[in-house]
Amino acid sequence: MKKNIDNLKNCKFELVNLLVHSEPNKDFLLIPKFVVTPVISASNPNEEDVEIYKFNLKLFLVTNSGQQLIGTIINEEPKLIPKNSQVELQLTLDIDQKKGIDSKLISLLLQLVSAAAKGSEAEIYINGDVEIRSSIGSISLPISETQKIKLKR
């Protein structure tokens, strides 16, 4: 267990891309449903596999007017990062669109779609935690960092 924690701390995680597109919304015909797929690169330099059991990460777009919440990545399935390797994980970003979508979020997502169409960069703040299981229970490791990523369609 302690070895898995130490190995996890040696791993490098980088948000390498946000895939952004819109699709028809069954609930609100005039407002499209936005789908954002974060792609994370996970590098494991260790001589053993590393397993992440859960994570809960909030993604914010950093703008001149501050940080604006894009959505939350919640993963309940274990992710294995093989030893001495680098893998890309496509994750699901939950954007609360169940009761409609507010104008600030529409504006934010349209900015992301427009920037992705141009191949621009975005500055993303990531905040949350990664959880691993152990014989004494769950251990949560906090994450708080800002990364610049190139957006793609």
Side-chain angles (χ1 to χ4, degrees), residues 34-71:
F34 290 96
V35 178
V36 180
T37 305
V39 179
I40 307 278
S41 172
S43 299
N44 179 2
N46 300 295
E47 294 298 322
E48 295 180 10
D49 296 345
V50 172
E51 190 166 13
I52 301 171
Y53 294 95
K54 288 184 182 181
F55 48 88
N56 182 345
L57 302 169
K58 291 190 182 303
L59 296 186
F60 298 84
L61 179 65
V62 179
T63 66
N64 292 336
S65 58
Q67 298 173 354
Q68 298 180 10
L69 179 65
I70 300 170

Side-chain angles (χ1 to χ4, degrees), residues 42 44 49-52 77-83 85 87 89:
N44 179 2
D49 296 345
V50 172
E51 190 166 13
I52 301 171
E77 297 175 17
K79 301 284 185 197
L80 183 70
I81 307 166
K83 64 181 179 182
S85 70
V87 296
L89 306 171

Side-chain angles (χ1 to χ4, degrees), residues 4-152:
N4 193 40
I5 294 172
D6 292 339
N7 286 343
L8 181 60
K9 288 179 182 178
N10 290 333
C11 290
K12 300 259 188 232
F13 297 92
E14 182 179 0
L15 180 63
V16 293
N17 200 357
L18 278 179
L19 305 174
V20 182
H21 73 276
S22 62
E23 56 188 42
N25 187 338
K26 293 179 260 178
D27 298 325
F28 301 95
L29 298 177
L30 298 176
I31 301 172
K33 179 180 178 185
F34 290 96
V35 178
V36 180
T37 305
V39 179
I40 307 278
S41 172
S43 299
N44 179 2
N46 300 295
E47 294 298 322
E48 295 180 10
D49 296 345
V50 172
E51 190 166 13
I52 301 171
Y53 294 95
K54 288 184 182 181
F55 48 88
N56 182 345
L57 302 169
K58 291 190 182 303
L59 296 186
F60 298 84
L61 179 65
V62 179
T63 66
N64 292 336
S65 58
Q67 298 173 354
Q68 298 180 10
L69 179 65
I70 300 170
T72 305
I73 301 171
I74 298 175
N75 183 68
E76 299 287 333
E77 297 175 17
K79 301 284 185 197
L80 183 70
I81 307 166
K83 64 181 179 182
N84 296 313
S85 70
Q86 180 174 335
V87 296
E88 283 195 356
L89 306 171
Q90 286 198 4
L91 306 170
T92 302
L93 183 69
D94 181 30
I95 301 171
D96 185 13
Q97 300 177 76
K98 293 169 185 71
K99 296 178 187 168
I101 191 165
D102 68 43
S103 61
K104 278 179 109 176
L105 188 54
I106 289 175
S107 174
L108 173 68
L109 293 173
L110 288 174
Q111 285 175 353
L112 284 172
V113 169
S114 175
K118 297 175 190 171
S120 298
E121 284 190 339
E123 191 171 354
I124 306 292
Y125 172 64
I126 305 163
N127 189 25
D129 56 23
V130 173
E131 185 177 300
I132 61 172
R133 289 188 202 137
S134 72
S135 58
I136 59 169
S138 296
I139 296 174
S140 187
L141 301 172
I143 304 282
S144 179
E145 61 183 68
T146 302
Q147 296 181 2
K148 284 196 177 190
I149 60 163
K150 185 157 178 91
L151 299 170
K152 295 180 185 173

